Amino acid sequence: MGHQTLQCFNVVQGITCLQTRKEIITGEVYVVQSHGQPRCRISASVQLYSGTRLDPNSGKGKLSEKAYLKQGKTHGHDGTKITTYKIKFSVELDFGIPGAFVITNEHKNKFFLQSATLEVPAYRKIQFYCKSWIYPFTKTKTNRIFFSNTFYLPNQTPESLAELRKNELASLKGDGTGERKEWERVYDYDYYNDLGNPDKGQEHVRPILGGTNSYPYPRRGRTGQPRSSQDHRTERRPAKFNLDIYVPPDEQLSPRKLSELIENSVQAIVHFPIPEALSSKQESNSFESFDEINNIFSRQKKQEVEGWMAEKLKNLVSDDLFKEIKETSKKDPTKFPLPKIIEDNELAWKDDKEFARQMLAGVNPTVIKGLEVFPPQSRNGVWSSIKASHIEHNLDGLTVTEAMNRWRILILDHHDYLLPFLDRINTNGICVYASRTLLFLRDDHTLKPLAIELSLPGSSTDMEINRVFLPATQGTEAALWLLAKAHVAVNDSAYHQLISHWLNTHAAVEPFIIATRRQLSLMHPIHRLLDPHFKDTMHINALSRSIIINSGGILENILFTRDISMELTSAIYRDWRFDEQGLPADLIKRGLALEDPDTPSGVDLLLEDYPYGADGLEIWTAIKTWVRDFCSVFYTNDNSVRSDVELQAWWSEIKNVGHGDKRNETWWYPLTTLMDLIEALTTLIWIASALHASVNFGQYAYAGYPPNRPTLCRKFMPEEGTLEFAAFLRDPDRYYLEMLPTRIEMTIGVALIKVLSHHTLDEVYIGQDPSPEWTENEEVEQRFQKFRENLQKVERKILARNRDPKLKNRKGPAKIPYKLLYPDTSNIGHARGITGKGIPNSISI
């Protein structure tokens, strides 16, 4: 590096001047080779924009001449091939310091730009965090711009970059028209009008979610697909499932991750549901014994896809996917691990202690709450049939009043939201109830079930048909109690999948992603803070709309809610509040914690041994400290928050458009103070990282064994004096198995859960740098290092808690240590698969 000087001397009125002098800026551009694809030739040019010198003619920074990517050198890193291209620019001495560059793809193929660095004489290295697909100019008709890793609030933007910042944001905003093409970086909102398929028949008509009082919902990313011929409001669905669904290029899964996801899915499909579909045992569609269910995890026999199954799959999936399924079916079966719930003790799932423990430390620990009134009362005023005489003998010497006053009675409540839908649900072989489960908090901090109430709608809205079941360990009462627990688990399984998982994480976060891309510049510090927590989410959500939550999709096939599944999520979204999604507020709302400003988290847990609550508050506190530290670098006071035009536009769009059906709610943070901003960002990061991890990555351990968490029931509770009761008495186990989902429903569910619980190799866990060049700000990097260290302290606390014999809910009868909120900061591309631990930065599967 240095100066290259070209000189010529002119004499004008006796003055000799140096006419031309140039400076050389060198750099490197890093391009990732697509996974599994041969290296393709790249033809691209780069130009630099000055970040410190304005071109008065353009109103933008000075622009350099073009430099071309040539003679790249390829090397491997963690299984990924990266090609490094050297570039060199000759610029005027007064060009200043580069603040941005534009790149033009002059070839016919897209490529993935990882990052770039520049070296300027007598100045530090300048880094650019890119991670973006660069499509051919012939398709995009525009160049791509990238800004250096220096963050600016809008009013601090250098004059030479201000117009570029404004133009880049404008280019990303859709106007609600046009069908999106693969290469278009356009972010726009739409309703969930792509779940139904009216062209396929009336049974595939689904309500459009969002935009009406009847069906409020968060917005999704708009694709602009053609409309159905039967209903112009609904988007037309492809005849076959394929992976070619539009999301903006920067939201796409990496080729490596997509390949891994397909491989995992195909293995699960071939191993679990296909053998059941091909089975010659057609006398019964139920499993004959619990041992037979256990055997599905270690099949030895190949089940090749051929004949009628091959023809059916051909009509359902794309040609490429069908070919992969067919090839995988020819290979020796993959052996899948036993779900943890039966690994150490195959009967642990039947234990009342384990049944109750999973409400605190299982895959859906966000629903249980303190009982406020005894007996419980419905919204419509109907009182529960559970009486004091049902439970008082089981309160360890306390009266009901004493237990209530000491916050010792808890409830798992799946009653009010479900009851109005049951008449529509209980058709075509589905037999479910709304349920209430009361539990007692014992002196050793474990929970003891007290009673289960199962309810059906009565003949009018103020009537219910209730049955109450009590714990028992022997005889007919014990067998009935096991059936009642299964009905509770069925309610909880559907709520978990539809609400705790889909609605409260996947669907709730997508509008925040769209608003961030549209309103916060890539230069904005809050954009850079949030970006790692949005990785892959829009693509995963789009794939979910294609195969999981759509009409005829996986959830409609395995959950008791069937074709009203998504309608139910809309009904529950009516009560959704962003300010209650943070963990402390959620715990207070559920009566499981009290406000305490003297604690780091601001609350005191009422349940000492609540693994999700205890570990979650540690993670929440670490996130909030990091967010506060980060924001304080850029915002010095409340006025700096109020005067940030991009930030205020972002928040306004989230409230008024992204979650537009909630626009008139008064609980939204005003975002007029730094504390508002910290609370909002902490809540958002919590949802995208820890909350999602807690309800997703433990699914295989608990729900991978269907009897522990069945997804539907095909029989009601037997009633004395009926033929069903006689059949139940003859063989309670057989009655139980016939009540559970069919073989094919169970195995489809296990396949889905196996895929959802799987960590991929490119997972980035909370506390890990998104990439080495994500920031140039030393103060931010120091504070991020503090965040990582705080998370490592949390890891040590979690391991210590799991070793403490006094904390019985940490493992329970099934001996499953609670690690769903263990950050796993040291796992950098080492462990993939079903690990049952680790908090990825984002909702990535």
Side-chain angles (χ1 to χ4, degrees), residues 511-523:
F512 287 88
I513 301 174
I514 300 169
T516 300
R517 307 307 192 207
R518 286 167 51 94
Q519 298 295 348
L520 297 180
S521 166
L522 292 165
M523 290 180 170

Side-chain angles (χ1 to χ4, degrees), residues 153 156 525-526 529 624-637 640-641 674-675 677-678 681 777 779-780 783 786:
L153 294 179
Q156 297 168 347
I526 302 304
L529 172 70
K624 189 168 184 177
T625 301
W626 157 236
V627 170
R628 184 187 297 113
D629 286 350
F630 181 91
C631 289
S632 66
V633 174
F634 303 96
Y635 296 97
T636 54
N637 52 43
S640 59
V641 173
L674 183 54
M675 187 51 66
L677 177 61
I678 291 167
L681 293 174
N777 188 306
E779 189 174 1
V780 168
R783 296 184 181 200
K786 173 187 165 186

